[in-house]
Each structure stands twice: as C-alpha cells, then as structure tokens.
C-alpha cells in the first residue's frame, strides 16, 4: 500500500509551519516525515501515523487511535511507536501541529 499523493501533499502543507527542518521521503512504500533527521510521522495509504512515547500513548488510545500493524506469514506485528492520528486532528490544523510537536519530542 503506497502513500496517497494527495494526502501526502495535505500533510506536508499542515506540517509547513514547523519549518524547513521537516523533510519527507519514501519509507516502505509510504512517506516518512522527519524533523532534523528524526522520524516523527509517516503516511501509509491515506492514514497518518504519529510517533508516540510513554507520555503520549494514553492520549492516542483515549481517542481511539491504534498502533501501526502489518501481517506476516507468522501473524500480525504491531509497531507500538507509531499510532494512527486521531480523526479530529485532520480537521484542526492547530491541534495537528500540537500533536506533531509531541511526536517530534517522542522521537528524540
């Protein structure tokens, strides 16, 4: 599943206020977003995933977010460092930036 070009462009626009330190590149068929070289988000398909840490994981879970997962021959694998961005963030630029800043802090 690749990253939706339109959705990547939307996310790139939303992250623009974070400055030139934000870069993005191909990442396992999706698109990874990094801040000063530290990955804090990625897009797979039309889904945005943000980096979480012990201090922020509860907020994601409380908003119904789920960890990134994929299926292998041995079963499902969960990547608990990245959770889906809660839906409300995609409609609220200020909140998305606030959560992105927390994701950046979690990546350091």
């Amino acid at each position: 599943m690749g990253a939706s070009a339109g959705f990547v462009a939307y996310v790139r626009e939303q992250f623009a206020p974070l400055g030139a330190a934000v870069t993005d590149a191909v990442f396992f068929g999706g698109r990874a977003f990094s801040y000063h070289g530290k990955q804090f988000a990625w897009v797979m398909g039309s889904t945005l995933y943000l980096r979480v840490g012990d201090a922020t994981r509860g907020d994601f879970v409380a908003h119904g977010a789920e960890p990134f997962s994929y299926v292998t021959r041995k079963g499902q694998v969960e990547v608990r460092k990245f959770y889906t961005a809660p839906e409300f963030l995609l409609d609220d630029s200020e909140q998305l930036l606030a959560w992105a800043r927390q994701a950046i802090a979690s990546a350091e």
Side-chain angles (χ1 to χ4, degrees), residues 9-77:
Y10 170 78
V11 171
R12 195 179 286 133
E13 180 181 309
Q14 297 303 303
F15 289 163
L18 296 171
V22 174
T23 58
D24 62 274
V26 174
F27 179 74
F28 292 110
R31 201 84 189 163
F33 287 84
S34 299
Y35 185 82
H36 288 293
K38 306 242 186 212
Q39 186 178 346
F40 71 94
W42 85 59
V43 171
M44 293 296 276
S46 293
T47 303
L48 173 63
Y49 294 88
L50 295 172
R51 178 78 182 242
V52 301
D54 293 338
T56 59
R57 186 172 288 108
D59 293 334
F60 281 83
V61 172
H63 284 93
E66 296 182 5
F68 176 75
S69 64
Y70 59 94
V71 179
T72 69
R73 285 181 267 198
K74 294 183 179 184
Q76 185 165 320
V77 176

Side-chain angles (χ1 to χ4, degrees), residues 93-105:
S93 297
E94 289 182 28
Q95 284 294 312
L96 179 55
L97 280 175
W99 284 55
R101 287 182 178 101
Q102 291 177 343
I104 289 167

